[in-house]
Amino acid sequence: MAVHERNDRSWCCAFFMVYLISVCSAKHSRQCLGGSEIFVCTLLQFDYEAGQDVPHFNISSSVTAVKFIIPPNEQLHHIVSSLKYIREYDSVLHRQLGSPKAIEIQETRMHTVEISAELLYADFTHNSIKSIIVNPQLSYALQYLDLNDNYNVPLENVSHFVQLKTLHLTNCHIETIPERLFAAMVQLQHLTLAHNRLTTVDLKRFPPSLTLLFLNGNDLKNMTLGGVLFPSLEHLNVRSNKISSFNATLILPLAPKLKLFSIGHNPMMRSTVDHIVGELNRRNISHYSMENPDEWVCKDDETIYEGVCFPKTILESDETSSSTLSKVCIVVFVLAGSAGIGYVFWIRYKRGQ
């Protein structure tokens, strides 16, 4: 009887210890925040760098997407030393999160990302990414990659993501595009390269599968056509560059489905604008979007013409030049007429002698 009692007590103690461990583990594991959806888990950011211990995450097997956020009470205090930063996203952290198909980590000073082969969606906006780790032997399923606002982000390894359909590279201080960057991206549809430092682009380097191409806010002076055809392109944006001349009759036939060609805020003369807008109107293509105020709200040194803004001095210089030329022509005509009349009188005078 005593033996049975000791066994019962031992069993009870063991059960109680397991219970305590499970309770403590659950208490210290990171839970999805309230408001998370069935398939999307929202978590608070924490301090992490490769090699450090990764906390346990209590994430349901139904979750396919993970989003990290800054604690609400600290969102307005990004300089506070108490903020937590995920500085690396590696395979260890990816597995601890349950190997999600989608990940969103923004504004966390992240400098290194390791892309897992099964990842489909990655949003790493507004970080400090200096290294993108890939395995050249793997095939990557990644279809959406947002690297906006990562200054000097390396582009070379991006070429491994051949399944990409959307790629955002806005405000990354890009000066040149690697020659083979998009060569294998035969499914790429949306490409944004806005607000970089590009001075020229060769359109033949872009995949013909594009439906949207944003090049606005660069330092482009010209675009090389290269005879490339964009059979699916619907929106081409070259707004706010340094393009002064553009032969619309050459590029428009190369994009038969084009619906919107944004051209505003470029130093174009009135005759150039008339040529482009005339060609666009003839093909029922819009040259600005009423949904984007930046297209038609002018700066102090700009003036609105054909519904969009252009630098005032450049646009009006064309009109001034035409006016000056007309005046010169009139003066020349008057002088020539006067000379002719004078010559007639001189001939008559000679004959009268």
Side-chain angles (χ1 to χ4, degrees):
M1 185 71 176
V3 174
H4 286 295
E5 289 179 357
R6 282 199 299 271
N7 289 340
D8 289 342
R9 283 198 297 270
S10 299
W11 184 87
C12 289
C13 288
F15 177 81
F16 184 67
M17 290 298 295
V18 170
Y19 173 76
L20 284 178
I21 292 172
S22 64
V23 168
C24 290
S25 298
K27 193 173 182 180
H28 288 91
S29 64
R30 292 177 178 266
Q31 310 283 337
C32 299
L33 297 178
S36 294
E37 301 175 22
I38 295 176
F39 303 108
V40 182
C41 175
T42 302
L43 294 166
L44 292 178
Q45 285 189 17
F46 66 102
D47 275 328
Y48 178 71
E49 205 151 349
Q52 295 180 351
D53 291 336
V54 184
H56 174 70
F57 297 97
N58 187 14
I59 300 176
S60 168
S61 59
S62 62
V63 168
T64 58
V66 174
K67 175 181 180 179
F68 283 95
I69 65 168
I70 299 171
N73 61 329
E74 296 179 348
Q75 286 181 353
L76 299 178
H77 306 284
H78 288 260
I79 305 178
V80 176
S81 59
S82 62
L83 274 181
K84 310 298 184 182
Y85 295 106
I86 301 173
R87 298 183 185 275
E88 297 185 50
Y89 184 75
D90 60 1
S91 58
V92 176
L93 178 55
H94 183 73
R95 286 194 300 270
Q96 284 290 91
L97 294 170
S99 298
K101 298 294 184 182
I103 186 72
E104 181 178 317
I105 307 177
Q106 300 181 359
E107 298 184 80
T108 183
R109 300 184 183 179
M110 188 161 54
H111 56 75
T112 301
V113 296
E114 181 179 358
I115 304 297
S116 298
E118 73 276 7
L119 194 66
L120 295 175
Y121 178 105
D123 184 347
F124 301 127
T125 304
H126 210 294
N127 282 292
S128 303
I129 296 175
K130 298 294 186 293
S131 177
I132 299 175
I133 300 174
V134 298
N135 184 343
Q137 307 303 318
L138 294 179
S139 297
Y140 289 90
L142 194 64
Q143 297 183 10
Y144 180 102
L145 178 60
D146 192 335
L147 295 171
N148 286 348
D149 298 299
N150 279 277
Y151 302 148
N152 304 311
V153 63
L155 299 180
E156 290 73 18
N157 284 345
V158 175
S159 62
H160 288 273
F161 310 133
V162 298
Q163 302 296 325
L164 278 177
K165 294 182 179 179
T166 299
L167 176 59
H168 294 304
L169 293 168
T170 292
N171 200 24
C172 293
H173 291 185
I174 298 172
E175 297 182 357
T176 58
I177 300 173
E179 185 174 356
R180 304 288 297 172
L181 179 61
F182 307 114
M185 297 182 190
V186 296
Q187 301 183 57
L188 190 62
Q189 297 176 5
H190 291 183
L191 175 60
T192 60
L193 284 160
H195 301 289
N196 283 296
R197 298 173 177 177
L198 297 170
T199 56
T200 182
V201 294
D202 188 346
L203 292 181
K204 69 182 179 183
R205 293 188 178 181
F206 298 125
S209 55
L210 289 177
T211 61
L212 178 149
L213 176 58
F214 277 19
L215 296 166
N216 52 296
N218 280 280
D219 296 318
L220 294 177
K221 296 181 180 179
N222 59 71
M223 294 189 295
T224 304
L225 301 177
V228 68
L229 179 66
F230 294 100
S232 303
L233 190 63
E234 296 182 358
H235 187 182
L236 175 59
N237 190 338
V238 298
R239 183 169 50 86
S240 300
N241 276 284
K242 297 180 180 179
I243 300 173
S244 58
S245 62
F246 193 85
N247 194 336
T249 57
L250 290 179
I251 192 172
L252 294 181
L254 303 178
K257 292 187 178 180
L258 198 63
K259 298 177 181 177
L260 178 59
F261 183 25
S262 302
I263 63 172
H265 304 280
N266 276 293
M268 295 180 179
M269 300 182 79
R270 193 179 298 265
S271 57
T272 303
V273 177
D274 290 340
H275 159 69
I276 296 175
V277 173
E279 285 294 316
L280 293 175
N281 289 341
R282 193 166 65 85
R283 300 171 187 269
N284 295 318
I285 301 172
S286 177
H287 59 282
Y288 67 96
S289 171
M290 287 299 295
E291 297 178 359
N292 187 355
D294 289 343
E295 298 256 8
W296 40 271
V297 175
C298 300
K299 302 175 183 177
D300 292 339
D301 60 345
E302 294 180 326
T303 185
I304 195 163
Y305 182 66
E306 292 289 353
V308 287
C309 306
F310 296 97
K312 188 181 301 183
T313 54
I314 303 296
L315 190 71
E316 293 179 351
S317 66
D318 195 16
E319 186 175 330
T320 303
S321 299
S322 299
S323 177
T324 303
L325 181 61
S326 299
K327 291 178 181 178
V328 170
C329 290
I330 292 173
V331 170
V332 170
F333 179 78
V334 170
L335 290 176
S338 300
I341 293 173
Y343 178 74
V344 171
F345 279 115
W346 184 78
I347 292 294
R348 289 182 178 180
Y349 172 76
K350 295 292 288 183
R351 287 176 180 176
Q353 290 182 337

